[in-house]
Amino acid sequence: NILIKQVLLKALQKIFIAHIYSISSDTYNYIFNVGLYYAITYFTFLIVYYFSSFIVDRTNRVWVYRVATLIRCAVVIIMIFFGENLATIIPLAGFMYGLGESMYYASYNVIKQEMVSRNTMSRYATGAMIASKIFEIITPITLGTIINSTSFEKRDRKSVV
């Protein structure tokens, strides 16, 4: 379940970056826009993660986790509804993504520490990392194969030959 969420958000982030590339007039503009997006995302993550650690410590961790999940859903909705105009709100998209990720991981890490015993934490962390990395390798290859096999350009070549 967590892997599917991660793949969805990573895929949306890659699609957003590809969209910035498709509407950028030149390479420098593209590099600037992507750099701006990542700078705002990571700066927001750094600041909000620090302050949400205090909130998670003093409140119900599950509620912070739920709010973070709602923010992450809002990021997906923003990316869907803005579509072509998404590149005009690069700072907002970076801020929202950083906000959702920081609140999510601040609460997720605390909940994980509470639910998994110290004895099994290393096995859990290793297993989760291995599964995540395998999924990160397989997913782009699978999606690339699907996109390549269903592309219109390939169908046109077959009909000509």
Side-chain angles (χ1 to χ4, degrees), residues 4-16:
I4 293 171
K5 290 178 192 174
Q6 288 303 105
V7 167
L8 176 65
L9 284 170
K10 297 288 183 192
L12 283 171
Q13 189 176 23
K14 300 301 182 219
I15 290 169
F16 178 63

Side-chain angles (χ1 to χ4, degrees), residues 1 22-23 29 33 37 39 42 61 67 70 80 96 111 120 122 124 127 130-132 136 140 144 146 155:
N1 190 15
S22 70
I23 64 169
N29 190 19
N33 287 338
Y37 172 74
Y42 292 125
R61 291 139 180 79
V67 168
L70 288 174
I80 290 170
M96 290 291 291
I111 292 171
T120 59
S122 63
Y124 171 80
I130 289 171
S132 171
E136 285 179 15
I146 291 169
R155 289 184 189 158

Side-chain angles (χ1 to χ4, degrees), residues 5-157:
K5 290 178 192 174
Q6 288 303 105
V7 167
L8 176 65
L9 284 170
K10 297 288 183 192
L12 283 171
Q13 189 176 23
K14 300 301 182 219
I15 290 169
F16 178 63
I17 298 300
H19 181 65
I20 291 174
Y21 177 74
S22 70
I23 64 169
S24 294
S25 57
D26 60 355
T27 305
Y28 298 110
N29 190 19
Y30 166 69
I31 291 171
F32 175 77
N33 287 338
V34 171
L36 177 66
Y37 172 74
Y38 279 120
I40 290 173
T41 297
Y42 292 125
F43 182 74
T44 303
F45 185 90
L46 175 73
I47 299 299
V48 175
Y49 188 87
Y50 177 75
F51 287 113
S52 15
S53 64
F54 296 115
I55 295 170
V56 167
D57 190 38
R58 291 183 175 89
T59 62
N60 187 349
R61 291 139 180 79
V62 176
W63 281 103
V64 176
Y65 185 80
R66 288 177 184 162
V67 168
T69 303
L70 288 174
I71 292 171
R72 292 171 99 189
C73 290
V75 169
V76 172
I77 291 170
I78 287 172
M79 287 186 175
I80 290 170
F81 283 122
F82 273 91
E84 291 291 322
N85 301 324
L86 189 59
T88 60
I89 58 161
I90 291 172
L92 176 64
F95 175 78
M96 290 291 291
Y97 189 80
L99 178 69
E101 290 293 294
S102 61
M103 289 182 69
Y104 175 83
Y105 281 109
S107 58
Y108 172 76
N109 289 334
V110 172
I111 292 171
K112 180 177 68 172
Q113 291 289 338
E114 290 175 348
M115 295 182 73
V116 179
S117 69
R118 286 184 148 226
N119 298 335
T120 59
M121 181 55 80
S122 63
R123 284 190 313 206
Y124 171 80
T126 304
M129 187 185 331
I130 289 171
S132 171
K133 296 302 176 187
I134 288 172
F135 213 66
E136 285 179 15
I137 292 169
I138 292 173
T139 302
I141 294 169
T142 305
L143 291 177
T145 304
I146 291 169
I147 290 170
N148 192 26
S149 67
T150 60
S151 73
F152 294 108
E153 183 178 320
K154 190 170 185 174
R155 289 184 189 158
D156 290 341
R157 286 187 202 157

